[in-house]
Amino acid sequence: MTNENNAQSEPITLRLNAPPPARHVFNPIIRGALTELLERDEPYSIMGYHRWCGTEADRQAGSDFCSKRLGYRPDAGRIVLTSSTQSTLNMLLPGLVGTGGALAVDELTYPPIKGFAARHGIKLVPIRMDEEGILPDEFKEACTKYKPKALYPLSTLQNPTTGTMSIERRHEIVAVARQFGVSIIEDDIYSLIPENAPRPLSALAPEISWYLLGLAKSVAPGTKVAYVVAPSKESAERLFWPGVRATFWMTAPLSAALATHIIQNKSIFEILKAVRTATTARHRLVHEHFSQFEYRLGDGGLHVWVSMPAKLDGIALASRLEEKGVLVSTSEGFVVGDVPPPQAIRIGLGNPATDEMLAKALQVISNEIESHYIF
């Protein structure tokens, strides 16, 4: 059997929400950047030493990049480079919340946060949400009752619901966090593809915020670079340097150097533009195939949140789709606490190698769901 036939027999995975490939732009930019790096600097000068929190050039580039979202250029001393959002969270939770402490989260949230909390003995406090995200009154009530030390919100293109907080809601959430002395750990990883995402919570309350901006959902999953903007240089040093070296959070030197280079020469914005265009094309496929269904897909979103008709169970649907060669995520993994999971599935748009593969998978899903709708 040929490799091509093997590829065709593989299931189409829609469980991940990676950015769609934009090879025609990404490949020449990255090839050129690597060539320029290795011509300018000897390989050992790049890879022969740890970069720890990043070199001065890395942190300056991170400051420049984060300023596009924050609306101001943070001092480079506040910037820490890490290998990913996950590794960042694994450092911040014990440092900011600690064993026995409470962390407020969206009632449906990024699944790994549950594993990190369990690892560090942290209690998760789910906050009820509407179509924008967490409700200020519910957050205030949770602060009064459970006294969380930090809040972990996904304020732009929430995972999994795709909701985005209005700027008014962001001001309300910040006001509650300030009132109760709650640190904000803001994961802004989905914000770079939308054209006009609202300013982050961290821009409204920099003194209590830890701002996270990773490249995995906008450039490519394997970039393995994320930027952290701490409230101050001192707080960054306290949580990330020097006594916490014996962990896995540091960025690989070549990845850090490459990210710095494409930020400095601004070619990263060409990649973002290409990914944005590719994402828009995939959104058109969703609208074409799901026009009769109830679903949520925010501007620039990398996944779709599809509500199930009354007679259809999400787990049963996922099982049938797997039999047909399409893999989707059910809602159970996103739920915090013992509440019943919503009858919905999450469909990632970026992982299929081509639009044609995605269209094929969406048609399979559409056919399966349509058989349970009464139009």
Side-chain angles (χ1 to χ4, degrees), residues 311-334:
K311 296 182 180 180
L312 184 57
D313 176 81
I315 296 178
L317 172 64
S319 178
R320 286 200 293 274
L321 290 173
E322 185 169 359
E323 292 173 1
K324 296 176 183 295
V326 177
L327 306 180
V328 300
S329 298
T330 58
S331 62
E332 285 73 16
F334 302 98

Side-chain angles (χ1 to χ4, degrees), residues 22 24-34 36-37 65 68 215 218-219 257-276:
H24 64 294
V25 174
F26 182 89
N27 287 346
I29 286 176
I30 298 303
R31 284 194 183 106
L34 287 170
E36 291 168 12
L37 272 176
F65 190 61
K68 307 300 180 184
L215 302 185
S218 55
V219 177
L258 179 60
T260 294
H261 190 74
I262 62 175
I263 291 171
Q264 288 174 336
N265 69 15
K266 303 188 186 308
S267 59
I268 192 170
F269 299 106
E270 296 176 45
I271 295 174
L272 294 178
K273 182 179 178 181
V275 171
R276 189 174 295 120

